[in-house]
Amino acid sequence: QLQASGGGLVQPGGSLRLSCAASGRSFSGYVMAWFRQAPEKEREFVASTNWRLDSTDYGDSVKARFTISRDNAKSTLYLQMNSLKPEDTAVYYCAAARRSYSRSWARVWENFTSRGQGTLVTVSS
């Protein structure tokens, strides 16, 4: 079971760090990713990483502002979000799957076998 946390209300230009924890299991060997879904919009890919964190991928709209990271010892995935914009407002979800990493594969929400509950991020003044 994956559970995302850390969402909240932040002003434009601010920062937030999201966390995604897995209860009762290791992340070893897992591809992990963040997705988001804004009101009345389709779910969007945000970022992904392999389990060693030496391969990452970002959606065009968040590149250079967001950073994905993970602590495998703590079975926790993170998303550091800087320079937030109102258009970043969405429910953010984490996902995991045990397989070899492929950037194109990891951009598809339906590919992931474990998909967590979301956390709401609201960017507004």
Side-chain angles (χ1 to χ4, degrees):
Q1 188 77 7
L2 300 177
Q3 180 63 57
S5 62
L9 175 63
V10 62
Q11 291 188 343
S15 297
L16 275 179
R17 189 176 80 155
L18 305 184
S19 299
C20 172
S23 58
R25 74 172 182 201
S26 166
F27 276 173
S28 177
Y30 277 74
V31 173
M32 302 206 66
W34 288 98
F35 293 81
R36 67 185 182 185
Q37 188 165 20
E40 300 182 0
K41 291 191 176 181
E42 292 189 354
R43 202 182 309 266
E44 177 189 17
F45 167 75
V46 175
S48 69
T49 179
N50 67 346
W51 79 279
R52 292 187 182 88
L53 204 61
D54 55 9
S55 289
T56 58
D57 186 27
Y58 294 90
D60 289 342
S61 60
V62 307
K63 216 172 278 186
R65 297 188 298 122
F66 290 11
T67 302
I68 190 170
S69 63
R70 61 193 293 170
D71 185 334
N72 290 331
K74 295 182 179 179
S75 294
T76 304
L77 177 73
Y78 302 101
L79 184 69
Q80 178 66 44
M81 305 186 296
N82 299 328
S83 303
L84 282 161
K85 305 174 182 179
E87 51 264 43
D88 293 318
T89 295
V91 177
Y92 284 72
Y93 301 88
C94 55
R98 185 176 174 84
R99 58 155 285 145
S100 58
Y101 183 66
S102 159
R103 287 186 173 88
S104 59
W105 183 94
R107 283 178 170 244
V108 180
W109 170 255
E110 290 77 10
N111 285 345
F112 286 86
T113 51
S114 296
R115 293 174 266 174
Q117 302 288 330
T119 186
L120 176 62
V121 173
T122 303
V123 185
S124 175
S125 55

